[in-house]
Amino acid sequence: MPDMTAAADWLAATGPSIQLQATTWSVPLTQTVHILAIAALLTCIAMLNARLAGLIGRDEILADAVYRFGRPLPWALAVLFASGVILVLAEPHREFENQLFWIKMALVAASAVLTFIGFRWVAGRRFDDLSRAERGRLIVFAAVSTFLWLAIAVCGRWIAYVDVL
Ligand code: HEM
């Protein structure tokens, strides 16, 4: 594991980090933006995966659901990334020296790739028109995707409760 303390020391000494450290409202405001983007992302993921698993909207064309609930996802992820970077800049030691932060980042990368691969799978058909094998694949995909995004949220909140390395 590279020396995260040295990396955090370097980042904490940069102009933007010093500015953010001196501004008392920057972290709470950024956390609020982060939490609103989490709400948007998890709502889209829930609406989408419930359809992919055939729980709701079984008569809808799956690709339409992906178009409707998938479109806001890259925007929500972009806001999460930007607000996340600001939170890292404001408190580099708190994040860089925390294993949960790195586990979360790995999960975010894996979940984003899985989600966009999953979208490609979804044909222009309705859930009820799919074969048993196709339905089974989509149900497993929806379950794994939901678990991963929720695990990220848990890691994100848990960072505050785990002692640094
Ligand atoms: C895309 C890249 C992301 C980055 C760089 C990032 C970074 C961060 C950072 C630095 C924190 C502050 C942790 C602390 O010091 O307590 C945080 C908090 C949090 N993050 Fe993220 N995050 C990202 C994406 C996500 C996603 C996708 C989710 C959920 C699906 C998420 C959920 C959370 C939660 C629940 C918190 C705690 C918020 C609070 O209670 O203040 N994050 N994130």
Side-chain angles (χ1 to χ4, degrees):
M1 181 102 164
D3 182 359
M4 284 301 149
T5 306
D9 286 342
W10 176 83
L11 199 56
T14 59
S17 181
I18 291 168
Q19 189 68 42
L20 286 167
Q21 292 168 43
T23 320
T24 52
W25 50 263
S26 62
V27 170
L29 179 67
T30 312
Q31 279 178 337
T32 307
V33 171
H34 204 71
I35 292 169
L36 291 173
I38 295 163
L41 181 131
L42 291 182
T43 304
C44 290
I45 291 288
M47 297 302 264
L48 204 54
N49 285 344
R51 280 170 173 76
L52 296 185
L55 298 174
I56 54 174
R58 291 169 78 108
D59 57 343
E60 286 175 32
I61 300 282
L62 288 171
D64 292 351
V66 168
Y67 182 72
R68 242 166 82 202
F69 300 107
R71 241 177 345 167
L73 281 179
W75 296 104
L77 263 177
V79 174
L80 281 163
F81 184 75
S83 55
V85 165
I86 293 171
L87 291 170
V88 170
L89 263 177
E91 300 176 295
H93 288 92
R94 180 182 163 99
E95 314 307 340
F96 275 15
E97 296 172 347
N98 195 315
Q99 279 165 345
L100 265 179
F101 173 76
W102 295 110
I103 292 170
K104 180 185 163 192
M105 289 304 105
L107 287 175
V108 169
S111 308
V113 170
L114 180 80
T115 301
F116 291 114
I117 291 174
F119 288 176
R120 297 207 168 289
W121 254 359
V122 173
R125 288 181 291 164
R126 296 174 176 79
F127 187 85
D128 288 340
D129 302 342
L130 299 175
S131 70
R132 253 179 103 79
E134 284 170 323
R135 284 188 203 178
R137 275 209 314 256
L138 274 183
I139 291 170
V140 171
F141 167 80
V144 171
S145 158
T146 306
F147 173 78
L148 286 175
W149 288 112
L150 289 178
I152 293 167
V154 171
C155 286
R157 184 68 278 226
W158 207 352
I159 290 171
Y161 300 96
V162 170
D163 290 331
V164 296
L165 287 173

